[in-house]
Amino acid sequence: MVLILISIILYSFSVPALAQSNSVEKIEVAFLYQFGQKIDWPKQDSFENFKIHYVGNSTDIIESLITLAQYKKIKNLPISVSYSKNISKIPQCQILLVEESLNSSFSSISGQLSTKNTLIVSENLPNDDQAMINFILSDEGKLNIKVNTPNLTARGLSPHDDLKIYGGTDSERGQVFSEWKSNLNSALDSLETEKSKVKAYEEQVSLLKKEIQTTQTALESLHKQVELSRKTITEQKRKILLQEAETIALSNKLAELTSELNQKLARIEEEEVKIKELENRLYLQVDKISKNDSILESQIKTIELQGEKIKATNEVVREQDITIEQQRLIVGISIIVIGIILGLGFLLWRAYRIKEEALTKIKSKNEEILLQRSQLEAQAEELRAINDQIIDQKTEIEKTLNELQSTQSQLVLAEKMAILGKTAANVAHEINTPLGAINSSAENILSFYEQFIRSLQRLAPNLTAEMLNSLFEIILAPIHDQENLSTREMRSHRRKLTAELTPKYGEDAREISELLVEAGYTHEIESLTPILEHKNGREIIRTARDGKQLLLNNKNILTAVQRASKIIVTLKSYAGKSKIQIREKVNLKENIITVLTIYHNKLRSFVVKKEFPNLNKELHGYADELGQVWTNLIHNAMHAMESGGIMEISYEELEESVIVRVTDDGTGIPASIQNRIFEPLFTTKSNEEGTGLGLDIVKKIIEKHNGSITFDSTEGVGTTFKVELPLI
């Protein structure tokens, strides 16, 4: 492990890409670049640029320095290069490279810069005690470096441990390697733990990807079923329309037959009344004839009696004029009898004719009644057949309706899975983001943990219990205090600390305030006085900062884990649906936020304004189906705005209901199709983007909840959908 670490450090000191050859001069310049990165200067945050000065006559070094300044930065600062051939004028700089020919004047140079924080790099300086960093060129042409750590520290410079490894003494290397080995083992254990966590999340992501692939396969199958269902629905709609037309025609025919039957029944009743009248008249005529017969018989008897009287009266006359009287009597009686017989015959003939006519009419009426009865029986049979046909059609329509309801349920699920399939990439991105944060935080923990443990081991023996308590007070200060500070507040707090520290610590106040702010310390400064006055005060605060960064990165990992878990739970909640629907209390705010979480990645290109007040009354319904409503409305709003815009989602509580509004500032709905947007299978999107069932499903779900949906849309301005749901 130590050998691997040494290899990494040696590689970190390799020559930059700008050095295309292995000349000693270019390698020296490359090392100067690494020295700038591996050494900390006091107040380096206040540097405007990083100055390197060369004293000597080598044009290769001068050219390499100029090239370095063009392509590289040190500590994210631009590099400023200057050079001179003598030591009479040495400007203020961070690194000074002195040519070997001037080694005799090195003491003078060092004395001239004794009060400045300048790194002096020498070439083949014989006296190592005078040197800070010394380039040593061996007889074989190999360039080595020698780092004199005490001389660097005396000038206020803080070399990194990896610089000590490369150019320090054997004891310094051994101490650093020992600390690194111990810390690295601990850090590797922590890293293994984090890797196991990351592996677990990767397994979850793998399972989720498999579920998404399965869902996509099912979605393709559902798309095919949707196409078949669409064709079936169209054909069934056509059949239903034909059946409805036939039913209407049959109903009209039935109404006509019923009207005609009623008319015929009315006529029959009228004829029956007439027949009864005729029968009554016939009975009256018969009665009259019977009465006339009785009168005639009475008259005949009277005539016979009168004849006998005449015979008795004229008995005497008969004897006298018997012949004449007998003839007269016979003639008179004959005339009377003939008249009576003729009158009686006429009456009998008239009665017979009336009776025959009445019987003929009755027979005709009976035949007509029988004919009408047979017609009515035929019509009744036809009506029974029509009724049976209507019952069969009703059964078929009910069967078709059940099939349509089943197909609609499948289409609702297909629409839901289609939207889920479209958001699969967004969900994968949302999961990869916290995984990336976990990975980055784990790497940061490894880096800060190493520095923190190393510094703590070095400082702990020299600190009092009070100082240790102050150190851990900084580290363990609530993380949320630092998280809640904005960039402006942090700058303000930094300026405030600098103002408090400047009277006592002068130019060091800014560096100390920077470290305290990075460590998240926002309390009174008096409690840190023992630490600040300690000889290693800044290193103690820097150690506190590293400890706080460990906690912050661990907090970032926990936040990322919670975010990934929330996304997975939300996805399962959205994709899953209970087979048994139960009407229950619905948290409207959480119901809408669940959908917004699914669309979080896509919504980044939009400005989403939300207003979700607490409801005083309760909303009861089917949470899954209401989630489908918000999904369709939000998806349509994004489609309307395409490349970006403002979306407003809010709800308002009324006395007995709540109104949910989803507003976009997109293209608006053309007036020519506004009356069709709720029709099933009607869509303005391509086949890949929509099925035309979204708003139809939304309307049915809302009506199922005893609610209503309306919209206001203006082309070029935008659209607002309003959903009103009852409250309890």
Side-chain angles (χ1 to χ4, degrees), residues 39-92:
I39 296 176
D40 291 333
W41 272 259
K43 307 176 185 176
Q44 62 186 18
D45 291 343
S46 63
F47 293 169
E48 294 180 357
N49 52 26
F50 197 92
K51 299 177 182 178
I52 301 177
H53 185 76
Y54 168 63
V55 182
N57 298 306
S58 174
T59 57
D60 287 341
I61 288 180
I62 293 172
E63 290 175 358
S64 296
L65 285 172
I66 293 172
T67 303
L68 178 69
Q70 290 176 347
Y71 295 101
K72 292 290 183 179
K73 290 183 178 182
I74 295 179
K75 301 185 184 299
N76 291 324
L77 297 172
I79 300 174
S80 173
V81 175
S82 59
Y83 53 90
S84 60
K85 295 183 179 180
N86 54 65
I87 63 173
S88 60
K89 295 181 180 180
I90 299 177
Q92 175 67 36

Side-chain angles (χ1 to χ4, degrees), residues 422-527:
K422 292 174 185 175
T423 58
N426 300 324
V427 173
H429 177 79
E430 288 297 318
I431 293 176
N432 285 333
T433 299
L435 287 179
I438 291 172
N439 185 52
S440 175
S441 297
E443 293 177 355
N444 290 338
I445 287 175
L446 179 61
S447 174
F448 282 112
Y449 184 77
E450 176 185 340
Q451 298 177 19
F452 176 70
I453 296 299
R454 183 172 65 246
S455 300
L456 197 60
Q457 288 179 342
R458 182 170 59 254
L459 294 172
N462 300 322
L463 298 179
T464 64
E466 182 181 358
M467 291 182 181
L468 285 173
N469 288 335
S470 299
L471 173 63
F472 286 108
E473 179 183 351
I474 298 174
I475 296 173
L476 299 177
I479 295 177
H480 60 78
D481 287 351
Q482 184 175 1
E483 288 180 331
N484 293 332
L485 289 177
S486 64
T487 304
R488 179 180 297 178
E489 290 172 334
M490 291 181 69
R491 286 199 301 267
S492 175
H493 190 63
R494 187 183 297 115
R495 287 194 296 267
K496 179 181 178 182
L497 288 176
T498 302
E500 292 180 6
L501 295 171
T502 298
K504 192 170 185 179
Y505 300 99
E507 296 181 356
D508 295 335
R510 181 171 181 178
E511 180 184 4
I512 296 172
S513 63
E514 289 279 354
L515 291 173
L516 288 174
V517 170
E518 289 177 4
Y521 189 81
T522 59
H523 305 294
E524 296 298 329
I525 204 67
E526 287 77 6
S527 59

Side-chain angles (χ1 to χ4, degrees), residues 643-658:
S643 60
I646 299 175
M647 183 189 306
E648 298 181 13
I649 306 172
S650 63
Y651 55 76
E652 175 187 4
E653 183 177 6
L654 305 180
E655 290 185 3
E656 301 295 335
S657 63
V658 60

Side-chain angles (χ1 to χ4, degrees), residues 28-42:
E28 285 185 0
V29 171
F31 272 119
L32 292 180
Y33 171 77
Q34 293 295 339
F35 297 157
Q37 300 285 14
K38 302 297 182 181
I39 296 176
D40 291 333
W41 272 259

Side-chain angles (χ1 to χ4, degrees), residues 440-671:
S440 175
S441 297
E443 293 177 355
N444 290 338
I445 287 175
L446 179 61
S447 174
F448 282 112
Y449 184 77
E450 176 185 340
Q451 298 177 19
F452 176 70
I453 296 299
R454 183 172 65 246
S455 300
L456 197 60
Q457 288 179 342
R458 182 170 59 254
L459 294 172
N462 300 322
L463 298 179
T464 64
E466 182 181 358
M467 291 182 181
L468 285 173
N469 288 335
S470 299
L471 173 63
F472 286 108
E473 179 183 351
I474 298 174
I475 296 173
L476 299 177
I479 295 177
H480 60 78
D481 287 351
Q482 184 175 1
E483 288 180 331
N484 293 332
L485 289 177
S486 64
T487 304
R488 179 180 297 178
E489 290 172 334
M490 291 181 69
R491 286 199 301 267
S492 175
H493 190 63
R494 187 183 297 115
R495 287 194 296 267
K496 179 181 178 182
L497 288 176
T498 302
E500 292 180 6
L501 295 171
T502 298
K504 192 170 185 179
Y505 300 99
E507 296 181 356
D508 295 335
R510 181 171 181 178
E511 180 184 4
I512 296 172
S513 63
E514 289 279 354
L515 291 173
L516 288 174
V517 170
E518 289 177 4
Y521 189 81
T522 59
H523 305 294
E524 296 298 329
I525 204 67
E526 287 77 6
S527 59
L528 297 181
T529 300
I531 291 179
L532 295 175
E533 293 181 350
H534 193 275
K535 63 179 181 179
N536 296 322
R538 276 173 288 179
E539 188 173 359
I540 295 171
I541 296 174
R542 190 178 292 110
T543 302
R545 178 200 62 187
D546 294 343
K548 177 56 67 68
Q549 291 299 321
L550 288 174
L551 294 177
L552 285 173
N553 280 282
N554 187 58
K555 179 70 163 48
N556 290 338
I557 290 175
L558 291 176
T559 302
V561 169
Q562 292 170 357
R563 178 172 176 78
S565 300
K566 181 180 178 182
I567 293 170
I568 293 171
V569 169
T570 301
L571 189 61
K572 288 182 177 179
S573 172
Y574 178 80
K577 184 176 182 182
S578 175
K579 294 182 179 179
I580 302 176
Q581 290 188 334
I582 300 175
R583 197 175 183 93
E584 58 187 356
K585 179 181 177 182
V586 178
N587 188 321
L588 184 58
K589 179 179 180 180
E590 291 182 359
N591 196 250
I592 298 175
I593 288 177
T594 297
V595 178
L596 293 176
T597 301
I598 292 293
Y599 280 105
H600 175 73
N601 187 50
K602 274 196 171 184
L603 289 171
R604 287 180 177 175
S605 58
F606 302 94
V607 177
V608 181
K609 298 181 179 180
K610 302 180 288 263
E611 186 177 350
F612 302 145
N614 294 327
L615 297 178
N616 297 318
K617 295 184 179 180
E618 295 181 355
L619 171 64
H620 286 253
Y622 307 101
D624 288 337
E625 294 186 353
L626 289 176
Q628 183 75 359
V629 170
W630 318 135
T631 298
N632 276 281
L633 295 181
I634 292 173
H635 184 266
N636 288 346
M638 289 192 296
H639 182 268
M641 292 186 288
E642 295 182 353
S643 60
I646 299 175
M647 183 189 306
E648 298 181 13
I649 306 172
S650 63
Y651 55 76
E652 175 187 4
E653 183 177 6
L654 305 180
E655 290 185 3
E656 301 295 335
S657 63
V658 60
I659 295 180
V660 182
R661 292 182 176 87
V662 179
T663 302
D664 65 74
D665 61 355
T667 56
I669 303 172

